[in-house]
């Protein structure tokens, strides 16, 4: 059996590694990666930029050469430009030589990821316009931040990467402005969480401009000097303003990289639709990671969740299936977390606005509790719990504050996976010691006070 894998990062290399372990010499694998780097931790790039991680090489799990030694040839700088699913061939371009050729497959795995959206005015090249998708991008940003002439940094997009990079830029003493088109930062979270994080950013010197669009970039000799922005007030009235730019980072969303394959079912954003076995609508074609979309285990509706955690699990599922092993069950519930300066935040399952959009009859319970025993530490955290109004089954939770924040969200991720009610969660036998919680953990209190 010959397996062609498009994309050499989380999903693709997880599938390749698992499949090779299962079938060894019984399978021929070839990986085509259009970039130079493979198997890297993209989520760690902001922390490499901030110098918390000193060397970019620390983010690379295995190199192409190391994969080749294990029997998995990885062709870097090779872009797949087309797929013929009837003939079972792919068209490939060697980006260094410009040569085009075709290759055949028995099974095709699409793990091509997603790229930064290049909408106007970010659809042109500028010397000081950056994006962050790989370790090399992180190195370029880090190098620019070390330049004392770089004083004014504008980040477009207030998602996870944009916000984490804003903190990294502040650590270099830069004047940082974050521009976000939506009404609040981190649109995936509910408003009260975003507001708390926005206050934390402001307290630490990051200027946050929500309801704001970059309309024009003012440049000289290919270098951006300023950005014209348009801000909307509560009544929808727009005002124009110009802000200085020495460095602009485009982090305004991503688009799945799937243009090379046409006849598979796709979502509106271009992501390839897959089932729980990562199968597409075309026989012998699988997809995983940021280029794919699968159904939520909570709502049954398609949910785009471009995270490395999901990509690695999905790739491993493909490896198991192609290798003849029964994959472990994977339920997509949408778990994510971040740290900004002195505040942590996490979300698992549905937010309140997502529950509303899904038409679910739900209730909400929000508490502020102690991260530790009250006599041990003063840090506080907030828990917002979403649960079914009739069955009382846990649907989602958001946690934010100081201390032990993200682990409390993980408790609820397990509860959602297991289908627990708030009442069952409320008497969960959790570990207790004053450095970790009160005798009644905050997660238990949030569950027990749910009416």
């Amino acid at each position: 059996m010959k397996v062609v894998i498009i994309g050499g990062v989380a999903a693709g290399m997880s599938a390749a590694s698992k499949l090779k372990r299962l079938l060894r010499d019984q399978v021929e694998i070839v990986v085509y990666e259009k970039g130079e780097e493979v198997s890297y931790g993209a989520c760690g790039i902001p922390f490499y930029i901030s110098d918390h991680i000193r060397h970019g090489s620390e983010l690379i799990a295995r190199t192409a050469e190391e994969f080749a030694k294990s029997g998995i040839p990885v062709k870097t700088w090779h872009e797949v430009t087309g797929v013929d699913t009837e003939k079972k061939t792919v068209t490939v371009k060697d980006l260094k030589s410009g040569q085009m050729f075709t290759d055949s497959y028995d099974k095709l795995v699409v793990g091509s990821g997603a790229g930064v959206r290049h909408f106007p005015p970010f659809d042109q090249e500028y010397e000081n316009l950056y994006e962050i998708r790989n370790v090399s991008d992180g190195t370029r940003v880090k190098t620019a931040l070390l330049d004392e002439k770089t004083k004014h940094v504008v980040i477009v997009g207030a998602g996870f990467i944009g916000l984490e990079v804003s903190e990294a830029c502040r650590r270099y003493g830069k004047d940082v402005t974050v521009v976000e088109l939506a009404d609040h930062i981190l649109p995936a979270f509910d408003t009260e969480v975003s507001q708390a994080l926005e206050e934390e950013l402001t307290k630490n010197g990051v200027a946050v401009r929500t309801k704001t669009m970059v309309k024009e970039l003012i440049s000289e000799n290919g270098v951006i000097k300023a950005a014209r922005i348009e801000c909307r007030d509560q009544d929808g009235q727009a005002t124009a303003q110009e802000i200085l730019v020495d460095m602009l980072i485009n982090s305004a969303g991503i688009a799945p990289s799937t243009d090379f394959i046409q006849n598979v079912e796709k979502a509106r954003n271009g992501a390839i639709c897959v089932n729980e076995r990562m199968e597409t609508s075309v026989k012998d074609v699988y997809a995983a990671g940021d280029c794919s979309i699968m159904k939520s285990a909570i709502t049954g509706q398609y949910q785009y969740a471009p995270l490395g955690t999901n990509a690695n699990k999905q790739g491993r599922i493909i490896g198991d299936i192609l290798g003849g092993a029964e994959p472990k069950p994977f339920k997509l519930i949408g778990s994510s977390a971040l740290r900004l300066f002195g505040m942590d935040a996490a979300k698992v399952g549905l937010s309140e606005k997502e529950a509303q959009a899904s038409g679910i009859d739900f209730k909400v319970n929000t508490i502020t509790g102690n991260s530790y025993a009250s006599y041990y530490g003063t840090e506080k955290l907030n828990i917002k719990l979403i649960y079914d109004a009739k069955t009382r089954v846990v649907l989602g939770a958001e946690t934010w504050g100081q201390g032990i924040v993200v682990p409390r969200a993980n408790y609820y991720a397990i509860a959602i996976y297991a289908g627990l009610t708030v009442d069952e969660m409320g008497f969960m036998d959790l570990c207790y010691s004053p450095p970790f919680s009160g005798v009644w953990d905050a997660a238990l209190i949030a569950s027990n006070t749910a009416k």
Side-chain angles (χ1 to χ4, degrees):
M1 177 173 66
K2 181 177 180 181
V3 178
V4 169
I5 298 176
I6 304 172
V9 193
M13 300 321 298
S14 290
S17 299
K18 182 63 174 178
L19 179 58
K20 193 65 177 179
R21 286 197 298 270
L22 289 172
L23 295 186
R24 299 184 182 275
D25 294 337
Q26 298 175 32
V27 63
E28 178 188 354
I29 301 173
V30 60
V31 180
Y32 292 110
E33 166 56 47
K34 69 178 181 179
E36 180 182 12
E37 302 159 352
V38 302
S39 195
Y40 57 84
C43 296
I45 295 173
F47 307 102
Y48 165 51
I49 293 173
S50 71
D51 217 32
H52 182 82
I53 298 168
R54 301 304 300 273
H55 306 289
S57 59
E58 297 176 52
L59 296 176
I60 299 175
R62 295 173 73 186
T63 64
E65 291 75 18
E66 289 171 329
F67 277 109
K69 289 178 182 178
S70 66
I72 303 172
V74 181
K75 308 293 186 182
T76 56
W77 298 116
H78 281 67
E79 181 179 6
V80 173
T81 60
V83 176
D84 188 325
T85 56
E86 291 186 2
K87 294 180 180 179
K88 288 193 169 184
T89 60
V90 294
T91 302
V92 186
K93 181 178 182 179
D94 183 329
L95 296 177
K96 287 192 171 181
S97 68
Q99 178 188 0
M100 303 287 293
F101 62 93
T102 60
D103 197 1
S104 62
Y105 66 85
D106 297 310
K107 307 287 184 182
L108 178 67
V109 178
V110 183
S112 49
V116 176
R117 296 166 57 209
H118 296 143
F119 53 86
F122 310 110
D123 53 349
Q124 299 182 46
E125 291 188 4
Y126 297 94
E127 185 178 318
N128 56 340
L129 174 61
Y130 301 82
E131 59 186 46
I132 300 169
R133 289 301 296 166
N134 54 42
V135 180
S136 295
D137 289 339
T139 299
R140 285 189 286 272
V141 170
K142 191 172 186 175
T143 301
L145 289 170
L146 288 168
D147 189 340
E148 292 183 358
K149 292 183 290 186
T150 303
K151 299 182 184 299
H152 304 286
V153 179
V154 175
I155 300 170
V156 182
F160 290 96
I161 296 295
L163 294 181
E164 288 169 342
V165 171
S166 75
E167 179 177 351
C169 293
R170 283 296 296 154
R171 294 191 182 280
Y172 289 86
K174 307 303 180 181
D175 174 51
V176 181
T177 301
V178 174
V179 176
E180 170 57 48
L181 182 62
D183 292 349
H184 58 81
I185 66 172
L186 281 180
F189 284 69
D190 281 326
T191 305
E192 56 267 52
V193 187
S194 297
Q195 286 178 341
L197 289 167
E198 188 172 326
E199 290 171 5
E200 184 69 14
L201 288 165
T202 302
K203 184 175 73 175
N204 286 279
V206 177
V208 180
R209 309 293 294 269
T210 55
K211 300 181 182 178
T212 302
M213 175 187 293
V214 176
K215 300 290 289 185
E216 184 183 356
L217 298 177
I218 302 166
S219 65
E220 294 179 10
N221 300 318
V223 177
I224 303 168
K225 297 295 184 180
R228 288 200 177 99
I229 59 175
E230 184 178 271
C231 313
R232 290 177 291 113
D233 60 23
Q234 296 295 332
D235 299 322
Q237 297 296 315
T239 56
Q241 187 180 347
E242 195 171 292
I243 55 176
L244 293 174
V245 176
D246 295 315
M247 176 181 189
L248 192 146
I249 301 173
N250 177 16
S251 188
I254 58 175
S257 301
T258 61
D259 288 347
F260 57 85
I261 183 166
Q262 300 299 326
N263 61 331
V264 292
E265 182 185 356
K266 297 181 184 180
R268 290 180 61 185
N269 69 343
I272 299 170
C273 299
V274 298
N275 59 20
E276 68 279 0
R277 293 175 65 84
M278 305 304 125
E279 296 167 325
T280 71
S281 58
V282 176
K283 181 177 172 55
D284 295 328
V285 179
Y286 300 77
D290 294 3
C291 66
S292 69
I293 186 170
M294 65 182 296
K295 291 182 179 179
S296 162
I298 304 171
T299 66
Q301 300 169 1
Y302 279 109
Q303 178 182 359
Y304 187 53
L307 292 169
T309 49
N310 297 327
N312 277 282
K313 295 184 184 80
Q314 292 166 338
R316 184 163 180 161
I317 288 171
I318 294 173
D320 278 329
I321 290 170
L322 296 184
E326 186 60 31
K328 294 178 181 178
F330 171 54
K331 298 179 182 179
L332 180 65
I333 63 173
S335 300
S336 57
L338 84 162
R339 170 171 291 173
L340 286 178
F341 298 100
M343 180 171 289
D344 294 349
K347 172 183 173 292
V348 298
L350 302 182
S351 64
E352 182 176 3
K353 61 186 176 185
E354 288 170 342
Q356 288 174 337
S358 299
I360 296 172
D361 185 12
F362 68 94
K363 289 185 177 181
V364 177
N365 187 41
T366 303
I367 70 156
T368 298
N370 297 310
S371 273
Y372 318 107
S374 59
Y375 51 81
Y376 184 89
T378 60
E379 287 92 338
K380 300 283 187 180
L381 82 153
N382 306 280
I383 299 178
K384 181 175 183 178
L385 179 59
I386 313 294
Y387 58 101
D388 190 283
K390 295 185 177 66
T391 66
R392 298 177 64 78
V393 167
V394 177
L395 299 174
E398 290 168 278
T399 61
W400 68 101
Q402 288 79 35
I404 302 176
V405 175
V406 176
R408 265 60 184 247
N410 283 334
Y411 295 162
Y412 284 108
I414 296 169
I416 295 168
Y417 240 72
L420 300 183
T421 66
V422 290
D423 307 297
E424 291 169 323
M425 183 66 191
F427 268 63
M428 181 73 67
D429 187 11
L430 301 176
C431 295
Y432 160 66
S433 182
F436 308 108
S437 75
V439 67
W440 284 98
D441 189 275
L444 302 184
I445 295 172
S447 301
N448 286 325
T449 56
K451 303 299 183 184

